[in-house]
Amino acid sequence: MTDYSAFTPYLEWLDSQQDAMVEDLIRVANINSGSYHTEGVNRVAEAFAELAAGLGGEVSWHEMPAQEVISNQGQKEHKPLGRALQISKRPEAPVRVLLCGHLDTVFPKDSGFQQVRWLDDKTLNGPGVADLKGGLILMLRALQAFENSPFADQIGWDILFNPDEEIGSPGSSTLFPALAAQNHVGLLYEPAYADGNLAGERKGSGNFSVVVRGRAAHAGREHHLGRNAIRALADFTSALDDLNGQRQGVTINPGFVQGGGPVNIVPELAIMKFNIRLERPEDEAWCLEHIQHLQNDINSRDGLSLEVHGGFGRKPKVLSPANQRLASLIRECGENLGLALEFKPTGGCCDGNNFAACGLPNIDTLGIVGGKIHSHEEYCLVDSLSERAKLTALILFRLATDTDRDWLKRS
Ligand SMILES: [Zn+2]
């Protein structure tokens, strides 16, 4: 049995930090950091670099490659991304922990949702207060409490603040394999559920764009010479949607369509975007095979071509034995704080998927308690700042003092 009394002074210090955490959260949430607002993302990164200065880690900045996207005109475009910030300490420590959270939000520079306000004296409404700036604030305080303790020499850590999670981490995921390899466990700061519980298994996800090109012709004079891109795309989309229900846990959602122009012209261009969610890694091959088959069908038609771009950016998160061990350690830490934490499966994805796929056991909802994320009603229950900071601090204390470390060995 762990004697938690040695940790008490550091947990009490976190209680004393509650008001300061709220103040810091309001400041960073009032800076817009929509994923493509790179200047705002970089400003938020700099604010966090300042907040982390007392930790004494080594700071490195990573430039991200631009994201390749398919425009609504069917062209490849490159969108610049903000910088990732990494802070690292004690690379040689016996236990190494990755702490990770994203700087970006889903609210663009010109969003109508820009400022934080109080809904009542316990509830803050604002862009990113839950997803995920509140989590970053409490993570840094928890780490400070740990660094103030005599147990600190047992754990080395990397913090990754990444700029592009809300668009699938196209740039920052290139950093993940090395970070996964040099750490034993990952703690990620997506918000907990509104009832305080945490996420366990997660579905995998892929985003795809389809560009169909046909041939334009006058709809009255030479209709027979045209090749209708909209018709071909409609056939493809119907057949794709018919795959729903054919394989356990796989869902396909055509979610965007655009094409054509004046109705007296046979349309030569049509574009569709779709998302796939799946439960098992082997489902990916099943999906890709079917997509290929549907694509071949269109490409075999005279005068028509169909390109598919994109892929599976998030692997399904399956809880490995080491990941289950980490979850039970976290459940025990919760019990010590009077929290009955449950781990619930979800169809949503985050960087926890990618880190699990890189072999890093991780729990990814250690941020604040809140809800209605990705909407203008996003909120954070502010008391959870100190509550969840204490949870993270306890996790670190346990990882530093538990004598059984066999489960931390990489398979
Ligand atoms: Zn998030």
Side-chain angles (χ1 to χ4, degrees):
M1 282 297 287
T2 307
D3 175 13
Y4 286 86
S5 61
F7 313 141
T8 307
Y10 309 100
L11 302 184
E12 286 174 351
W13 178 78
L14 284 170
D15 279 325
S16 79
Q17 295 298 300
Q18 170 66 22
D19 292 347
M21 281 192 276
V22 173
E23 216 171 279
D24 289 342
L25 175 54
I26 293 172
R27 192 160 55 85
V28 292
N30 278 336
I31 305 171
N32 178 283
S33 61
S35 307
Y36 296 118
H37 182 207
T38 54
E39 189 221 317
V41 171
N42 290 338
R43 272 181 64 205
V44 171
E46 277 153 26
F48 278 110
E50 274 170 36
L51 287 170
L55 296 170
E58 189 187 320
V59 175
S60 37
W61 294 90
H62 301 275
E63 299 295 331
M64 297 286 102
Q67 183 194 23
E68 187 179 291
V69 293
I70 300 297
S71 74
N72 294 349
Q73 286 70 45
Q75 307 296 328
K76 277 186 191 165
E77 277 182 359
H78 292 90
K79 294 198 169 194
L81 301 172
R83 295 191 294 173
L85 167 63
Q86 183 181 342
I87 309 179
S88 306
K89 198 165 180 181
R90 287 186 294 273
E92 305 308 327
V95 179
R96 295 216 88 246
V97 178
L98 172 73
L99 303 109
C100 177
H102 59 87
L103 300 158
D104 61 327
T105 72
V106 297
F107 306 106
K109 190 180 180 185
D110 60 358
S111 163
F113 187 41
Q114 296 285 354
Q115 295 294 308
V116 173
R117 66 188 178 116
W118 289 97
L119 297 181
D120 58 50
D121 59 359
K122 302 275 185 211
T123 316
L124 211 51
N125 161 244
V129 291
D131 185 15
L132 166 157
K133 291 168 182 173
L136 293 174
I137 294 288
L138 74 87
M139 175 260 278
L140 291 177
R141 283 301 203 291
L143 202 49
Q144 187 65 62
F146 180 73
E147 287 292 319
N148 293 345
S149 81
F151 311 106
D153 64 338
Q154 290 300 301
I155 292 185
W157 44 261
D158 293 296
I159 310 176
L160 178 67
F161 299 86
N162 58 337
D164 55 352
E165 192 275 345
E166 294 292 3
I167 51 172
S169 307
S172 62
S173 59
T174 59
L175 303 171
F176 294 175
L179 287 165
Q182 71 198 30
N183 287 288
H184 295 104
V185 298
L187 308 177
L188 281 74
Y189 287 86
E190 293 292 333
Y193 295 122
D195 65 1
N197 284 314
L198 307 180
E201 286 94 351
R202 288 178 179 273
K203 283 194 168 191
S205 173
N207 290 322
F208 297 83
S209 301
V210 177
V211 180
V212 182
R213 291 193 169 84
R215 190 189 303 142
H218 190 285
R221 294 162 62 114
E222 293 181 322
H223 183 265
H224 64 288
L225 296 180
R227 295 293 179 268
N228 193 316
I230 291 179
R231 169 59 198 258
L233 180 63
D235 290 347
F236 176 88
T237 306
S238 302
L240 180 75
D241 192 69
D242 283 345
L243 296 174
N244 282 303
Q246 291 192 26
R247 193 168 167 100
Q248 168 78 33
V250 174
T251 55
I252 302 175
N253 184 52
F256 172 90
V257 67
Q258 181 165 302
V263 292
N264 60 353
I265 303 173
V266 177
E268 62 177 348
L269 179 66
I271 291 148
M272 190 269 284
K273 299 182 183 179
F274 63 98
N275 175 261
I276 302 183
R277 300 282 161 133
L278 41 75
E279 282 173 3
R280 294 165 302 178
E282 60 269 30
D283 295 336
E284 283 186 9
W286 183 88
C287 291
L288 293 173
E289 199 178 300
H290 280 79
I291 291 167
Q292 181 72 58
H293 179 77
L294 300 177
Q295 181 180 11
N296 293 348
D297 175 50
I298 302 297
N299 283 331
S300 69
R301 301 182 188 181
D302 174 57
L304 286 156
S305 74
L306 184 149
E307 293 165 19
V308 179
H309 302 274
F312 290 99
R314 309 274 199 209
K315 304 283 177 193
K317 183 176 179 183
V318 182
L319 296 190
S320 66
N323 213 138
Q324 287 171 12
R325 176 70 189 256
L326 177 63
S328 62
L329 182 149
I330 290 175
R331 205 179 289 114
E332 287 168 27
C333 292
E335 274 163 29
N336 189 261
L337 295 168
L339 302 170
L341 298 175
E342 285 177 47
F343 291 86
K344 303 195 163 165
T346 169
C349 305
C350 72
D351 290 330
N353 292 63
N354 303 56
F355 280 112
C358 294
L360 185 71
N362 69 82
I363 297 298
D364 52 32
T365 35
L366 292 167
I368 62 91
V369 180
K372 297 195 176 167
I373 60 171
H374 298 196
S375 85
H376 292 197
E377 279 111 73
E378 175 174 358
Y379 68 92
C380 159
L381 299 176
V382 292
D383 288 349
S384 66
L385 284 164
S386 51
E387 176 190 281
R388 300 291 156 138
K390 288 189 281 188
L391 180 64
T392 285
L394 265 191
I395 296 165
L396 294 171
F397 288 131
R398 282 287 307 272
L399 290 169
T401 57
D402 279 10
T403 47
D404 175 11
R405 289 177 176 170
D406 283 352
W407 65 279
L408 295 172
K409 290 203 182 97
R410 302 293 294 254
S411 53

